[in-house]
Amino acid sequence: ARTDSTTAVVSSVQIHRENVFDKAESGSWLFAAANKLHIVTREHVVRRELLIPVGAPFDSATADETARNLRKLGIFRKATVDSSRTSSGLAENVTTHDSWTTQVQAAFKSSGDQITWNVGVAEKNLLGRQIKASVKYTSDPDRSTTQFAAFVPRVWRNRVDLSTAYKQYSDGESGDFSLSAPFTTLTTPRSSTL
């Protein structure tokens, strides 16, 4: 149920985190095994995206923006934010359904006697913490490359993100990192990248 009255103040936040496959789907042994392998997104990852804290008035526009922000993370297949009245006041109800976030990558290309291939794995929600991590090995006629990359959100003041990458070549190595403070709401005044 939605409550849009400006006098309706949120007294509590209830977060419901669901695995990749719900009970109906997890009747299959394959889906049940996938649920066991998957680590459900941690509550603090969901909570830090909330735009309506306890003590603030609930409004549907901000609730919809919160749900959009959660879906934009790329780790949920569904996210909803609504409200309900309880004996202790107005509760903000946040429900998320995780998506499968592990991807295996492989490619092979041959042109004459030139062969290029790569293999790797990427995870968008490592340990349920919204950390993106990947490793990839590429072999081409010129060199071979092993690449490691990671993205860690909200490492400082719940705002600054860290991106880092390291490449080891058969003839050298390189690395880089960046810090960014992206827009987090429609009212965020500025964003920056270092």
Side-chain angles (χ1 to χ4, degrees):
R2 284 294 179 92
T3 303
D4 290 287
S5 171
T6 56
T7 60
V9 173
V10 173
S11 62
S12 65
V13 176
Q14 306 295 325
I15 296 177
H16 310 279
R17 298 167 299 127
E18 303 292 339
N19 212 325
V20 178
F21 302 104
D22 59 29
K23 291 180 179 178
E25 295 170 316
S26 61
S28 160
W29 69 268
L30 182 61
F31 293 162
N35 272 356
K36 288 188 180 297
L37 288 171
H38 177 77
I39 298 175
V40 177
T41 301
R42 310 283 182 174
E43 183 173 316
H44 79 270
V45 173
V46 179
R47 192 170 290 277
R48 71 188 178 199
E49 297 297 326
L50 302 185
L51 303 178
I52 308 175
V54 170
F58 183 93
D59 73 273
S60 58
T62 307
D64 289 342
E65 186 180 354
T66 298
R68 281 195 301 272
N69 286 354
L70 287 167
R71 290 191 293 269
K72 199 163 58 175
L73 297 179
I75 59 176
F76 302 116
R77 62 176 176 151
K78 185 179 180 183
T80 59
V81 180
D82 59 18
S83 64
S84 62
R85 293 204 173 273
T86 67
S87 58
S88 58
L90 186 71
E92 178 182 0
N93 301 308
V94 182
T95 304
T96 59
H97 297 261
D98 280 13
S99 62
W100 183 257
T101 52
T102 304
Q103 299 174 325
V104 177
Q105 307 162 343
F108 178 88
K109 182 173 70 174
S110 175
S111 177
D113 61 351
Q114 305 288 306
I115 296 175
T116 300
W117 63 275
N118 65 67
V119 64
V121 62
E123 171 57 57
K124 293 193 296 183
N125 194 15
L126 186 65
L127 303 175
R129 297 180 182 274
Q130 202 214 336
I131 296 171
K132 297 179 182 177
S134 64
V135 58
K136 183 178 180 181
Y137 179 82
T138 302
S139 176
D140 61 39
D142 297 322
R143 59 166 54 157
S144 60
T145 306
T146 303
Q147 176 179 333
F148 303 92
F151 169 82
V152 185
R154 311 292 181 90
V155 294
W156 186 62
R157 291 194 172 185
N158 203 31
R159 177 91 200 281
V160 177
D161 301 337
L162 168 67
S163 296
T164 182
Y166 171 76
K167 293 181 180 180
Q168 185 174 42
Y169 306 103
S170 52
D171 56 355
E173 60 184 7
S174 68
D176 61 74
F177 80 97
S178 66
L179 297 172
S180 61
F183 292 107
T184 53
T185 72
L186 295 175
T187 57
T188 300
R190 64 182 66 86
S191 69
S192 57
T193 301
L194 172 62

